[in-house]
């Protein structure tokens, strides 16, 4: 079974590649073509202008997007990123992955994603607040705790979620914190949400290592990204007894064959905003990090990092996709030939949305779970999802990769919901 690549052979065409994957999965499942017809476009795509008075008194108008891909399983759900390169196609692809992710891990949400085209590293706190509130003012009509629930994503934080929840509450004229997840604890956040994506990655990596008989304690780990996902992943993997040999951020990377002190490195990154100035390490580039000698590679930064150019040099035995879309279809093929197991993003990083779901449930009930309860429930969900998908992949996807298995497993559930909701009059199958 081979994966179709996008026709232009263009590796950065994330949306095209995602559509190819969805199409392939619906074909392999022999689903009615109506399923693909529903999934190939978002149900709604909104573009907004966000005027902001900058600190110097000038006016800047930022562009914002929200893609509401599919709500067959429940309200749209997914993060909002602040990134200078965000564009409609990227946001659409990201919203499709949310639909698949929520279905895969069994949380009752559909998929959505948003973005503001900006570089938050060049914005003051006050400007960031204005952008966040402006986004909700312009987009508020299509958001809501029962409609569409945003969350943090690349370069967005708990503080940004709090401003968004506050702005939405102003519009509704009552506290409506359940409209976003990933909030600070003081305004209806959930214990453990900040590190949930990373913790989910760790649970999945551990279960995969057990399944593949790779010793987890002492495993050498390389992590691309030192932000919310990569940073916590380094700390948590170290706590599990793994050896973090390399880590990078958007500017630079560091490597130490004997192992880095993750706590020290992440504390340094938090304090100085960079990985530069750490002694006793070798400086490496982001590109070099991906092909470093290690057992487990965690790409936890942006899309399209492992490509046809570098996949042949990847040395890890296991790739755990902390980021969304870090591996291109061409690279997937090469990694498969090299017998490297890639745990796909929609499974590996679904811990974030899982704990978002826990947060939303708690907001709806006005009740709070403690950290131990959250982590225990997260572990149960992640281990169960890994085993279900891995089992499905081994049984039904001989010769293909785990991503194909994950897409199939997920789409099957969505098709079933569509059928029962009466969207597919003639059943799910061809
Ligand atoms: N942005 C995260 C993701 O891509 C979390 C989404 C959420 O919690 O809704 O999965």
């Amino acid at each position: 079974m081979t994966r179709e690549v996008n026709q232009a052979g263009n590796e950065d065409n994330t949306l095209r590649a995602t559509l190819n994957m969805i199409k392939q999965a619906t074909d392999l499942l022999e689903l009615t073509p109506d399923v693909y017809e529903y999934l190939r476009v978002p149900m709604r795509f909104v573009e907004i202008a966000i005027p902001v008075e900058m600190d110097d008194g000038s006016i800047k108008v930022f562009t914002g997007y929200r893609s509401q891909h599919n709500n067959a399983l429940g309200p749209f759900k997914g993060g909002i990123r602040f990134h200078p390169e965000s564009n409609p196609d990227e946001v659409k692809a990201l919203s499709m992955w949310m639909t698949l992710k929520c279905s895969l891990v069994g949380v009752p949400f559909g998929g959505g994603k948003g973005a503001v085209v900006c570089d938050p590293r060049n914005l003051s706190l006050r400007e960031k607040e204005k952008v966040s509130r402006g986004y909700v003012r312009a987009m508020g009509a299509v958001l809501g705790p029962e409609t569409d629930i945003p969350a943090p994503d690349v370069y967005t934080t708990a503080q940004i979620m709090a401003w968004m929840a506050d702005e939405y509450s102003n519009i509704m004229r009552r506290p409506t914190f359940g409209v976003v997840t990933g909030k600070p604890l003081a305004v209806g956040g959930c214990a453990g949400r900040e590190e949930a994506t990373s913790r989910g990655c760790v649970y999945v990596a551990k279960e995969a290592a057990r399944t593949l008989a790779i010793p987890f304690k002492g495993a050498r780990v390389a992590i691309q990204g030192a932000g919310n996902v990569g940073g916590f992943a380094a700390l948590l993997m170290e706590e599990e007894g793994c050896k973090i040999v390399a880590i990078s951020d958007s500017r630079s990377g560091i490597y130490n064959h004997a192992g880095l002190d993750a706590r020290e490195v992440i504390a340094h990154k938090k304090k100085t905003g960079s990985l530069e100035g750490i002694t006793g390490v070798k400086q490496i580039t982001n590109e070099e990090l991906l092909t470093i000698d290690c057992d487990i590679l965690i790409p936890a930064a942006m899309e399209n990092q492992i490509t046809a150019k570098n996949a042949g040099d990847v040395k890890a035995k296991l790739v755990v996709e902390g980021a969304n879309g870090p591996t291109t279809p061409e690279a997937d093929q090469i990694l498969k030939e090299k017998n490297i197991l890639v745990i796909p993003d929609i499974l590996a990083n679904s811990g974030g949305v899982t704990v978002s779901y826990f947060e939303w449930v708690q907001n709806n009930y006005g009740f709070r779970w403690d950290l131990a309860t959250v982590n225990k429930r997260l572990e149960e969900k992640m281990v169960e999802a890994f085993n279900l998908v891995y089992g499905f992949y081994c049984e039904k996807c001989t010769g293909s990769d785990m991503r194909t298995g994950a897409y199939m497993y997920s789409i099957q559930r969505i098709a079933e919901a569509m059928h029962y909701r009466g969207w597919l009059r003639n059943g799910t199958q061809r």
Side-chain angles (χ1 to χ4, degrees), residues 1-5 11 17 21 24 97 305-312 314 319 321 325-345 393 399-405 407:
M1 198 190 304
T2 56
R3 172 104 55 80
E4 205 183 313
V5 297
E11 284 203 316
M21 278 299 297
Q24 189 200 29
W97 293 334
Q305 300 299 305
I306 308 176
T307 66
K309 281 199 206 94
N310 57 20
V314 170
V319 176
E321 294 188 330
T327 312
T328 67
E330 292 82 350
D332 259 337
Q333 201 65 42
I334 297 167
L335 296 177
K336 171 75 202 166
E337 279 154 23
K338 287 175 59 127
N339 220 2
I340 298 171
L341 183 72
V342 179
I343 307 183
D345 46 8
Y393 152 69
S400 182
D401 50 25
M402 196 168 165
R403 192 182 317 277
T404 306
Y407 271 58

Side-chain angles (χ1 to χ4, degrees), residues 366-383:
F367 190 75
R368 179 159 284 172
W369 305 350
D370 62 16
L371 181 62
T373 306
V374 170
N375 287 345
K376 185 171 162 285
R377 291 189 175 163
L378 174 63
E379 181 170 17
E380 281 164 10
K381 273 235 174 268
M382 299 306 297
V383 169

Side-chain angles (χ1 to χ4, degrees), residues 48-52 128-140 167:
I48 51 169
I50 310 168
V52 169
K128 270 191 256 185
E129 177 174 354
K130 288 181 184 172
V131 170
S132 310
R133 289 185 185 279
Y135 184 92
V136 171
R137 266 198 306 280
M139 202 65 91
E167 195 60 34

